[in-house]
Amino acid sequence: MLPAVDYSDVQGLVRFGFANMTEAVYLLLNVRDPQAARAWLAQAPVTTATETNPVPSTALQVAFTRQGLEALGVSDRVIAGFSAEFLSGMAGDANRSRRLGDTGANAPSAWEWGGSGRIPHMVAMLFAERGRLDGWLRSIRGAWFLEGFNEMGWLTTSDLGGREHFGFIDGISQPLIDWNRTRTVSANGNQLAYGNVACLGEFLLGYPNEYNRYTDRPLLDSSDRGAENLPNAEDQPGKRDLGKNGTYVVIRQLRQDVRAFWQYADEATRTAHETGHGVAEAMVGRRLEDGASLAPLSGASIAGVGTTGSEAKRRQDVRLNQFNYATDPDGTDCPLGAHVRRGNPRTPDLPGNPSGILSELMHMLGFGETSLHEDLAASVRFHRVLRRGREYGPGLSPGEAIQPAPPGDPERGLHFIALNANIERQFEFVQNAWMARTKFDGLTEESDPLLGNREPVRGCPFTNTFSIPRKGKVRKRLMEMPQFVTVRGGAYFFLPGIRALRYLAEAGGA
Amino acid sequence: MMPQANVLVIAPLRPEREAELRGLLASMNFVPGQVNPANALVPFGQFSQIHVARFVILDDQTTGDLQKAYGIPAPKYPLSLAFLADFDGPADAFRADLAKRAGKGLERIFSCCDGFAPGADLAGWMKEREISSATNYVNWVGRTVTQIREEDALRLTIESHLQAKSAAFAEKNPREIHATLREFLQTEIRAGRLALTPQPATPFGWWLRNAAHFIAVPLLLLVLSPLLLLYLPFFAYQLRSREKSDPEIAPRVEACYEEQLATLEDYDVTNQFTAMGSLKPGAFRRWTLIFLLWLLNWTTRHIYTRGQLARVGTIHFARWVFVNDRRRLLFASNYDGALETYMDDFINKVGWGLNLVFSNGVGYPTSRWLVLDGSKDEQKFKYFLRRHELPTNVWYKAYPGLTAFDLKRNTLIREGIEKTHLSESELRQWVALF
Ligand code: HEM
């Protein structure tokens, strides 16, 4: 038996979305006085992943950028053990920005925060049940807090009842984390069926990931100052694990132009002779009303779908997530480029559902392909993210959105939040290879219909199309799609385990 | 069919002229990573036969690994310049064409190398320094640059026609769509707005050599099989005992080296990759690798010739080349997508194949039985590759914006349009290409 996870050492956000706490604000902080900051951190009432009854009505989570660790006085040697993406930062170099699609209107130079010189040291995420946020804020922002930190900005959120600003239900599909550590993967074996269960190590450092390996993170000698209170490294006896029970948090402030979205979608629905919200649904890949997939449900069950929670919850999960795209290779049910299909193409390690060693071998050697697209985006299990985003700004119904904008129309959007143990292989891969790339799954001249920056790439003067394949007919192709989502800020944070947090709070204080 | 060929010229630099050479190479780019196809030295864009080409200074930082891993003094290799090109038609014609149209520029470049005197016979000098690959991979054997350009134009023409006439096409069935488009394209071709040049005849000499190779390798294997079988247990023993003790050298690269490499990437939808490393010491690894690359080369020459290398469909051209008395291996490829995607594809789709080859290199993440583990140690493997990668000074691709999949789809569109009779299911698949 593998050692059980110590939930009391994990920040709660990894396990819970805090759905009962409909109010939230994320405070972007800079360390002003390290001494006071450390004192505050040492006693901060950070919510853990331990299940309580009743569930808490407020929560606090804290996470740090590289700059924050430096400001707290954590040694360079320790900091060097974090991943390269974290160290360099979301907007740290132009090459990364190019890969993430942060060019043109998305360029970090125009961001409100997170660009050069505007990188916060820390984020304190506060969650509260309705009506309780103000009180929670007051109690958190005590004397040490105000002395220790400068507030660079507040990311406020709004509760749209489980829908994002374009009007679609969000948070339907999430990987199911294998908290009990019963999932077995072998480094060399293929997973022949798409499943929704992810190894703990994909979302928490210090545990084996989908390759059955421990993702790199800072390990300390037990003799290092302050290290004696850190957990042991499971894979390296004698080492203390600063990463254990921690993970990385990606935050991106994404402004949504809801009016442009619905005005474009409405017009396109008319000219493309679709009905209802056809074009918008094709862009998302789910129905507006109930979130149902455009791809047909599969008869067979899918590992990790409909297996947790109440009976009603299970049934709902089956209704909304028991599908993959194997029966829709050309995208005639759900367009290949639909947002959810890009976000998770739901493919196993090998295409074609091979049965028997021989057939598996043939597929491994690249034979027996039955459709052009079936092996273009394989092995999604290495590229899952846990989405914990929340909306900001006032809501706007599709009906209101087709009206022209009044003067001073406020900004609205998504504070996109993703948790993952390997930013490069998970968030950045999804953002780069699946969302931003104009060649995803054999498509061309189009990027994600919701997120794409529509910037030209070399040799492709336009990338602002969207194809809706039709069975036995010429595809519909939407042209001149404007940019709907603009990046306004963002950063990579490290969300430490509780013991690691205490270490960080003490590390710099000599 | 006109098969592609390739060259690789490697020549040591004159140390005192390294800076000058770097300057010359840099002058061929608009900015690092983005070549000027009309640059004054080698105006790649004027060569209608070149698919991809690159200049790279082989500044291998890892030669000291032999010392670190096995205590063998690191040989001192002279710093060299490599020129690689993949093109249509035979190499002799290509070299002559190069000398004719880029002679002056190449003379300036190669004068920075040992043994080149301006005025010398350029093509001959290059040929003398050429090294052939142990394994060479071409995504689609016989698809010329001209064909690629024509088929791209074909697709764009069809797409804009479909867009302009979307109402008329909306309710047509596949057969009607095919017939209507055929008719439309014939008018376009007649009007000279579009060309679909027929395939040239396959050169007989090439065909013969290829056929002979196709038969010879399996035949030789068959003949040798009793010996190979006898040797197998010894081989297994030798292999496993080495695999158990060969040290790994795969630290994460320094941030500045990472940045130097990344600065050259992700402008086009395709990227270049050049890497170099030393073979593990001793005859066992050398002969294992020679044998494996020889086999692999048979598969790339005869099996993986239409769009895919095993499961990987994103490589345009690639090669594995022994250099320095087969003590080092040079790997060069042209792949679609970002490096992270490429490496993930590698690991998840052909991890076993990578292990076969690269596990014979010093410091590779520990493999088992030649195909297991190794690359599946994902992070170490990625560090290893990045660490062995070299900044490619100049890189040219003739068709920016087009991935290998784009080329395949365009070829399928063309093949469909040139046929009069397609079955119902073929028609449906063809219509789904747009
Ligand atoms: C304003 C920006 C965005 C909007 C409006 C948006 C909207 C949505 C909606 C409506 C869904 C369907 C609900 C569900 O399946 O859970 C969804 C799913 C998803 N989105 Fe987004 N999203 C946005 C940004 C992003 C970004 C930046 C990423 C990642 C880089 C992303 C990745 C995903 C993934 C992975 C899924 C789940 C797909 C699945 O598992 O089937 N989204 N999004």
Side-chain angles (χ1 to χ4, degrees):
Chain A
M1 261 273 287
L2 293 162
V5 178
D6 176 5
Y7 287 125
S8 71
D9 194 39
V10 180
Q11 294 202 45
L13 193 63
V14 187
R15 193 167 174 216
F16 309 115
F18 302 132
N20 62 314
M21 304 177 216
T22 50
E23 297 187 344
V25 61
Y26 312 137
L27 312 180
L28 303 177
L29 305 173
N30 279 330
V31 173
R32 171 166 45 185
D33 172 33
Q35 206 61 40
R38 282 194 292 262
W40 182 80
L41 286 168
Q43 53 72 56
V46 173
T47 313
T48 75
T50 309
E51 219 158 349
T52 57
N53 196 0
V55 294
S57 55
T58 55
L60 169 71
Q61 306 283 277
V62 292
F64 304 85
T65 59
R66 172 204 184 135
Q67 287 75 5
L69 299 179
E70 284 167 355
L72 288 175
V74 179
S75 77
D76 290 348
R77 186 176 57 86
V78 170
I79 292 178
F82 287 96
S83 72
E85 317 82 80
F86 172 75
L87 295 180
S88 153
M90 183 185 281
D93 78 274
N95 306 315
R96 166 161 289 105
S97 297
R98 204 157 60 236
R99 286 199 298 276
L100 298 181
D102 293 347
T103 55
N106 284 349
S109 54
W111 288 3
E112 276 170 29
W113 62 278
S116 156
R118 307 266 304 141
I119 302 171
H121 288 165
M122 199 186 119
V123 60
M125 312 168 87
L126 280 70
F127 303 84
E129 282 180 353
R130 211 160 136 181
R132 297 196 140 178
L133 189 62
D134 286 341
W136 185 226
L137 262 168
R138 267 194 305 279
S139 84
I140 293 295
R141 294 165 77 232
W144 277 342
F145 181 95
L146 294 174
E147 204 176 308
F149 303 103
N150 283 327
E151 293 184 350
M152 181 174 176
W154 285 21
L155 305 180
T156 59
T157 67
S158 44
D159 174 27
L160 303 182
R163 291 181 183 257
E164 52 71 43
H165 274 291
F166 294 143
F168 288 83
I169 303 175
D170 202 356
I172 297 171
S173 172
Q174 295 277 25
L176 182 68
I177 302 181
D178 176 37
W179 289 104
N180 299 328
R181 310 189 68 181
T182 52
R183 174 170 170 79
T184 50
V185 290
S186 84
N188 298 294
N190 288 310
Q191 302 275 318
L192 297 182
Y194 164 71
N196 194 44
V197 188
C199 287
L200 189 55
E202 291 293 302
F203 297 101
L204 271 193
L205 293 164
Y207 300 92
N209 59 24
E210 285 287 324
Y211 287 106
N212 204 22
R213 301 276 174 182
Y214 292 78
T215 304
D216 288 350
R217 72 268 179 215
L219 299 179
L220 282 69
D221 291 322
S222 3
S223 56
D224 289 347
R225 193 167 54 84
E228 63 277 1
N229 296 325
L230 288 174
N232 289 313
E234 220 173 69
D235 53 334
Q236 295 195 37
K239 292 280 190 186
R240 298 297 177 128
D241 193 341
L242 181 57
K244 185 151 190 164
N245 294 327
T247 191
Y248 293 105
V249 181
V250 175
I251 304 188
R252 270 161 95 76
Q253 180 177 338
L254 303 175
R255 183 178 71 207
Q256 290 171 260
D257 192 341
V258 180
R259 293 181 197 276
F261 177 82
W262 278 111
Q263 286 164 12
Y264 182 86
D266 239 44
E267 174 67 25
T269 301
R270 257 194 311 278
T271 50
H273 305 288
E274 297 270 342
T275 52
H277 303 292
V279 166
E281 290 175 342
M283 294 200 290
V284 172
R286 287 190 180 273
R287 301 248 172 253
L288 180 64
E289 190 186 327
D290 59 357
S293 166
L294 300 189
L297 292 186
S298 76
S301 64
I302 291 175
V305 170
T307 49
T308 53
S310 64
E311 184 55 35
K313 268 211 157 123
R314 288 170 192 232
R315 263 209 305 276
Q316 164 155 319
D317 197 21
V318 166
R319 190 167 57 76
L320 297 178
N321 276 315
Q322 187 169 297
F323 70 95
N324 56 41
Y325 303 103
T327 50
D328 181 27
D330 295 326
T332 48
D333 293 316
C334 177
L336 300 173
H339 177 72
V340 295
R341 193 157 178 172
R342 281 181 178 260
N344 179 5
R346 300 184 180 231
T347 49
D349 291 349
L350 271 183
N353 202 9
S355 54
I357 300 263
L358 201 63
S359 136
E360 188 174 337
L361 201 66
M362 290 309 277
H363 276 92
M364 280 173 69
L365 295 173
F367 304 110
E369 205 173 82
T370 54
S371 97
L372 266 187
H373 299 271
E374 73 182 6
D375 205 16
L376 298 182
S379 294
V380 298
R381 66 192 176 102
F382 302 111
H383 312 293
R384 301 296 303 276
V385 293
L386 197 61
R387 292 173 300 128
R388 294 284 192 234
R390 291 196 177 209
E391 291 70 32
Y392 68 95
L396 204 61
S397 73
E400 292 162 331
I402 53 174
Q403 305 304 320
D409 197 18
E411 177 173 334
R412 45 177 66 83
L414 175 70
H415 290 310
F416 174 83
I417 298 182
L419 274 54
N420 49 192
N422 185 333
I423 300 175
E424 184 172 45
R425 172 163 63 74
Q426 295 171 268
F427 165 71
E428 286 191 350
F429 185 100
V430 175
Q431 175 67 31
N432 164 264
W434 291 351
M435 296 296 180
R437 189 162 166 77
T438 58
K439 302 291 180 177
F440 169 76
D441 215 359
L443 297 165
T444 181
E445 291 136 11
E446 62 179 81
S447 53
D448 185 73
L450 305 188
L451 302 175
N453 63 14
R454 323 288 186 238
E455 291 277 305
V457 296
R458 274 190 69 198
C460 296
F462 59 94
T463 64
N464 55 357
T465 74
F466 179 64
S467 314
I468 307 179
R470 297 189 305 156
K471 239 183 215 98
K473 300 234 172 74
V474 167
R475 86 285 175 283
K476 288 184 182 167
R477 197 172 200 211
L478 310 188
M479 308 296 282
E480 288 173 32
M481 190 143 86
Q483 178 171 354
F484 301 126
V485 169
T486 311
V487 188
R488 302 294 296 142
Y492 294 150
F493 297 89
F494 171 59
L495 182 92
I498 304 296
R499 282 187 279 176
L501 174 64
R502 303 300 176 226
Y503 166 87
L504 296 175
E506 284 159 26
Chain B
M1 176 189 72
M2 165 94 82
Q4 297 95 336
N6 65 72
V7 298
L8 160 62
V9 179
I10 296 187
L13 303 191
R14 298 184 186 173
E16 75 281 6
R17 301 192 62 178
E18 182 186 336
E20 178 190 345
L21 177 66
R22 288 188 186 274
L24 282 176
L25 296 180
S27 78
M28 301 168 75
N29 295 325
F30 290 125
V31 292
Q34 289 188 271
V35 71
N36 172 4
N39 74 81
L41 294 176
V42 186
F44 296 110
Q46 287 179 20
F47 291 82
S48 61
Q49 75 271 51
I50 300 184
H51 289 259
V52 287
R54 75 183 72 181
F55 284 97
V56 46
I57 295 177
L58 302 176
D59 192 359
D60 180 1
Q61 308 280 324
T62 65
T63 49
D65 287 1
L66 269 174
Q67 170 81 46
K68 266 183 251 171
Y70 302 95
I72 297 173
K76 189 88 190 86
Y77 299 108
L79 194 60
S80 299
L81 171 71
F83 168 65
L84 294 82
D86 292 88
F87 46 83
D88 300 318
D92 284 335
F94 174 67
R95 263 185 245 103
D97 198 21
L98 263 186
K100 195 169 91 210
R101 287 198 277 170
K104 283 269 164 331
L106 284 170
E107 279 191 2
R108 286 186 65 193
I109 293 172
F110 288 133
S111 325
C112 301
C113 299
D114 267 350
F116 185 85
D121 162 24
L122 182 71
W125 185 86
M126 284 173 57
K127 192 166 180 175
E128 256 168 52
R129 278 156 188 81
E130 260 171 42
I131 304 184
S132 55
S133 11
T135 299
N136 186 56
Y137 173 70
V138 175
N139 179 278
W140 200 283
V141 173
R143 182 169 54 202
T144 61
V145 175
T146 307
Q147 183 184 345
I148 287 170
R149 299 226 164 102
E150 288 179 354
E151 288 171 359
D152 183 38
L154 169 72
R155 173 183 166 269
L156 291 173
T157 304
I158 296 179
E159 287 287 357
S160 53
H161 185 66
L162 289 175
Q163 210 55 35
K165 298 266 178 314
S166 59
F169 275 99
E171 293 311 315
K172 283 195 198 312
N173 67 32
R175 192 166 294 286
E176 294 160 350
I177 297 166
H178 183 253
T180 317
L181 282 177
R182 248 180 82 84
E183 208 170 300
F184 163 69
L185 291 166
Q186 273 158 1
T187 11
E188 290 297 291
I189 290 171
R190 270 198 302 275
R193 283 188 289 266
L194 205 64
L196 288 176
T197 312
Q199 293 272 355
T202 308
F204 182 70
W206 181 89
W207 181 88
L208 200 66
R209 276 195 308 278
N210 212 43
H213 184 261
F214 178 66
I215 300 168
V217 169
L219 214 62
L220 201 61
L221 277 178
L222 197 70
V223 173
L224 290 178
S225 59
L227 281 176
L228 289 176
L229 272 177
L230 273 179
Y231 173 54
L232 197 60
F234 299 97
F235 174 83
Y237 172 77
Q238 286 172 304
L239 176 71
R240 284 302 297 144
S241 56
R242 280 171 175 78
E243 286 183 334
K244 281 178 197 155
S245 63
D246 281 332
E248 295 177 334
I249 304 180
R252 189 165 85 197
V253 299
E254 299 285 335
C256 55
Y257 196 61
E258 169 69 33
E259 176 162 5
Q260 196 186 343
L261 293 166
T263 302
L264 307 176
E265 295 170 352
D266 300 317
Y267 299 98
D268 184 17
V269 296
T270 309
N271 279 308
Q272 47 66 34
F273 187 84
T274 314
M276 205 167 190
S278 305
L279 265 66
K280 287 172 178 166
F284 175 80
R285 288 293 189 176
R286 184 171 324 136
W287 283 102
T288 302
L289 191 54
I290 291 172
F291 179 72
L292 288 171
L293 288 176
W294 177 73
L295 281 185
L296 204 62
N297 192 50
W298 184 84
T299 68
T300 57
R301 230 171 126 171
H302 305 291
I303 311 287
Y304 298 122
T305 57
R306 268 179 68 103
Q308 260 174 262
L309 178 54
R311 285 177 65 198
V312 176
T314 50
I315 303 178
H316 294 257
F317 291 89
R319 52 178 119 169
W320 288 261
V321 190
F322 285 112
V323 289
N324 303 110
D325 262 351
R326 297 177 169 164
R327 278 178 302 176
R328 287 202 291 174
L329 190 72
L330 174 69
F331 173 65
S333 77
N334 306 267
Y335 64 93
D336 297 326
L339 184 73
E340 174 73 12
T341 327
Y342 180 51
M343 293 194 294
D344 274 314
D345 248 14
F346 260 16
I347 298 170
N348 301 333
K349 291 182 170 172
V350 288
W352 55 272
L354 292 177
N355 292 346
L356 270 180
V357 175
F358 291 118
S359 72
N360 298 296
V362 172
Y364 190 78
T366 303
S367 54
R368 260 187 315 129
W369 297 108
L370 216 52
V371 287
L372 300 177
D373 297 348
S375 64
K376 300 286 182 179
D377 200 341
E378 177 235 358
Q379 287 191 294
K380 259 192 217 149
F381 169 77
K382 288 175 180 172
Y383 299 157
F384 177 89
L385 271 197
R386 206 49 158 167
R387 187 165 171 271
H388 284 272
E389 190 182 348
L390 304 173
T392 298
N393 305 70
V394 178
W395 177 66
Y396 167 81
K397 172 180 162 236
Y399 24 87
L402 293 176
T403 61
F405 184 86
D406 288 330
L407 304 186
K408 174 177 181 174
R409 183 196 46 232
N410 296 352
T411 295
L412 294 177
I413 291 176
R414 189 246 187 92
E415 287 176 355
I417 207 74
E418 286 187 335
K419 285 190 192 137
T420 36
H421 294 292
L422 291 171
S423 72
E424 288 299 322
S425 83
E426 283 171 336
L427 279 166
R428 258 199 314 280
Q429 281 173 16
W430 187 78
V431 167
L433 295 172
F434 301 105

